[in-house]
Amino acid sequence: MDARAIIETLRDGGEPTQAQMTWFANGLATGAVTDAQAGAFAMAVCLRGLSEEARVALTLAMRDSGDVLEWKLKTPVVDKHSTGGIGDCVSLLLAPMLAAVGVANPMISGRGLGHTGGTLDKLEAIPGVSTDVDETTFRRMVDDIGCAIVSASKRIAPADKRLYAVRDVTGTVESIDLITASILSKKLAAGLGSLILDVKCGSGAFMKTRDDAVALARSLVSTANGAGCRTAALVTAMDQPLASTAGNALEVAEVMQALTAPRNSRLVDLTLALGAELMLLAKVDVSPEVAAGKLLDTLKSGRAAEKFDAMIEALGGPARFSEDWQSRLPEANVIREIAAPQSGKIAALDGHAIGLAVVRLGGGRLREGDRIDPSVGFSDILPLGAEVSKGEPVARLHAAGEKAAQEAERAYLDALTIGERAEPLPLMIERVG
């Protein structure tokens, strides 16, 4: 068995065996497969595609290239994954809600990617929090609290880390087969029993069209189920920021408001929908209405806030964070409103452009290793369809300095369309699985 033979099989439209996929994934992890061979493999998959069986084989092989966690808990073990968007802070809200209803959520999350924010970057906007914990701490948190949001160790799906870096420089990032294997290899390594996927669609998502989003959702769901994990997906709207904020500390603030003073919002609605789907997949409840009601009660009763506080303290953050979060989150040097250039309705918001504006403010990374300013971004973002008069605020800007503020204001106004009517996508577009 060797890399060249496997690449040739893919190139010619053949079907690699599970043993060949396992050999190749181990070669990626150990370095036995060269960068040139990894790039050729990725390009062959991109051009030829994989059957469902081969996609499952690749996913399992990449999962098994490192550690695979096993849990001996009396409660279901579940997780949620989003394909990324703007103002998407669902994970920070959902994990403690699930823990509060007795469903374990060991969440291995990522950092910002491109124009989208990262769950770990948001969590680390809280002073003292570090998501780089060892496996012993991770397990103790899940056992004691019921949830933990942490970064992946180097021993989780190392083949994916290697292949992803090669894909990034070989024009093969967009392959649905490779996206599927990349996402699921890391999630399945967490030892899940059930998984819900939030596949974003719209200007702020990687998948811009409904057809593309549904195709990815179907690939993810069929592959995860084929790998033995009960999985479904919701295709959801990302034609505007999910929350009314975009930026690390600002999104944490919105999560804290939902945890301590819940009210109707797109963020809460989507969190309830995803959580209810997970509880059905885990066979905790028999209807989404009952499950969503139980989850909502964790917000109203304060039990979710208690779980969040326990998780934050275990990650090195302040005790009882929910009691005085307003005074603990960092605040930008320059805070001002962005005025509407004309009267009308908010007709369009280019989420991709808004996300990039946050990155350029310092809220994301332009290069690997860049330090993040957790305080910057946008808040009080008016949603699609909102009516506004000329000169009224359409958003509030948070920046480190005046020059950065001016550039970000121009970028936001360029991303904004004010017209006579707006036709936002429904929040939940389609269920797959």
Side-chain angles (χ1 to χ4, degrees), residues 272-286:
L272 291 173
L274 291 165
E277 290 285 351
L278 260 182
M279 291 173 72
L280 264 65
L281 287 167
K283 300 182 180 179
V284 175
D285 276 306
V286 295

Side-chain angles (χ1 to χ4, degrees), residues 50-111:
L50 295 175
S51 68
E52 183 173 325
E53 292 77 11
R55 195 166 57 242
V56 170
L58 176 60
T59 300
L60 290 174
M62 290 169 61
R63 180 199 69 180
D64 295 340
S65 66
D67 292 346
V68 179
L69 301 180
E70 294 183 7
W71 301 93
K72 297 179 180 179
L73 302 174
K74 296 179 180 179
T75 59
V77 179
V78 306
D79 201 3
K80 159 258 171 193
H81 177 79
S82 167
T83 56
I86 311 303
D88 181 4
C89 40
V90 167
S91 293
L92 301 186
L93 188 56
L94 180 58
M97 291 168 67
L98 289 169
V101 294
V103 178
N105 186 192
M107 186 176 288
I108 298 176
S109 293
R111 300 194 180 274

